[in-house]
Amino acid sequence: MSWFIKKRQQKIAVEAKTVRVPEGLWVKCEACRELIYRAELANTHNVCPKCGYHFRIGVDERLENLMDDGYETLFSELQSADPLNFVASKAYKDQLKRLKDEGQDQDAVVIVEGTLSGHPVVMGVMNFDFLAASMGSVVGEKLKLGAERALAKKCAYIIVSCSGGARMQEGTLSLMQMAKVSAALAKLDMAGLPYFSILTDPTTGGVSASYAMLGDLNIAEPKALIGFAGPRVIEQTIKQSLPEGFQRSEFLQAHGMVDRVVPRDKLKDWVAACLAWMLPVREA
Ligand SMILES: [Zn+2]
């Protein structure tokens, strides 16, 4: 009968072996799992000094990396509406209000005008912290206005993309932004003004299917995830396993979808060199 009696297991005390890390002082690299001193990351543009992994960075840091001092923010008054009265797990208007209360009052893209190594440019930087940088009406409108500003100023236009795709909370309206921004970019093309697309991790969905791939130069940060649908969806659809590194910058460069993979610390100089080649330096 002893088989049926549950014997009390002797508990073995396991000493916690985890090393307590002072919060905020160290960061664990998502690629190589090494601990990195946070102050060190500030010197490397948030790139892991051990393996070169590019951490995702915010809009302010991106602008600091790419633009010269003294740039001006444009079209910040535009705010998303809630045209569909969208309610899924959370009400869209509550999400927008919460983000605004947190100080995110620019929707998912910030447009600035200024200079990049002396070259006048208009630049749009997408903000992943705002609903995964999803492309809604305001994102599309601001990017279109940015293109028109570059056209009026006869300067280059640069969009730094990262996005989860179209903003489902705005339904079809968000899909229409793909065509609207693409049409505005076509006007720049007709005027002979350069448009550079900088693709960062992750650039997916409707953004990758429109303006992010329309650059005169499509430049990507190393190992960024770039694609339309996720790899699992593709595998299930085509019933084949995908090759190693599929949908990463290097793979796209090897297959002609991206012109150049440029590390973050070289990005500004590289863009400036291309601008110098395409446009003469003028007084800002
Ligand atoms: Zn690393």
Side-chain angles (χ1 to χ4, degrees), residues 28-34 36 47-55:
K28 196 176 211 175
C29 173
E30 287 173 36
C32 69
R33 317 303 292 166
E34 289 276 339
I36 313 157
V47 174
C48 172
K50 282 152 186 137
C51 75
Y53 173 76
H54 282 52
F55 284 85

Side-chain angles (χ1 to χ4, degrees), residues 95-173:
Q95 284 178 296
L96 292 174
K97 187 180 175 306
R98 180 183 55 80
L99 287 161
K100 199 172 180 186
D101 292 346
E102 286 171 7
Q104 307 246 32
D105 55 355
Q106 297 259 344
D107 210 277
V109 70
V110 175
I111 311 280
V112 300
E113 181 181 1
T115 55
L116 186 155
S117 299
H119 301 275
V121 293
V122 175
M123 183 182 287
V125 180
M126 298 192 75
N127 177 11
F128 203 79
D129 295 335
F130 194 103
L131 299 175
S134 51
M135 177 184 51
S137 317
V138 168
V139 170
E141 185 64 17
K142 285 172 88 170
L143 289 173
K144 185 209 75 172
L145 290 170
E148 288 173 353
R149 176 63 70 108
L151 192 63
K153 295 268 168 176
K154 295 188 170 52
C155 68
Y157 190 35
I158 300 168
I159 299 178
V160 184
S161 288
C162 66
S163 182
R167 192 172 299 173
M168 64 164 187
Q169 293 94 328
E170 294 186 19
T172 315
L173 292 174

Side-chain angles (χ1 to χ4, degrees), residues 4-5 13 19 21 23 35 50 55 73 77 95 122 133 135 166 173 203 208 215 217 235 250 271 280 284:
F4 301 104
I5 300 166
V19 184
V21 175
E23 214 177 334
L35 285 177
K50 282 152 186 137
F55 284 85
T73 307
E77 69 287 355
Q95 284 178 296
V122 175
M135 177 184 51
L173 292 174
T203 300
S208 71
L217 283 174
E235 278 186 333
E250 293 74 11
V271 170

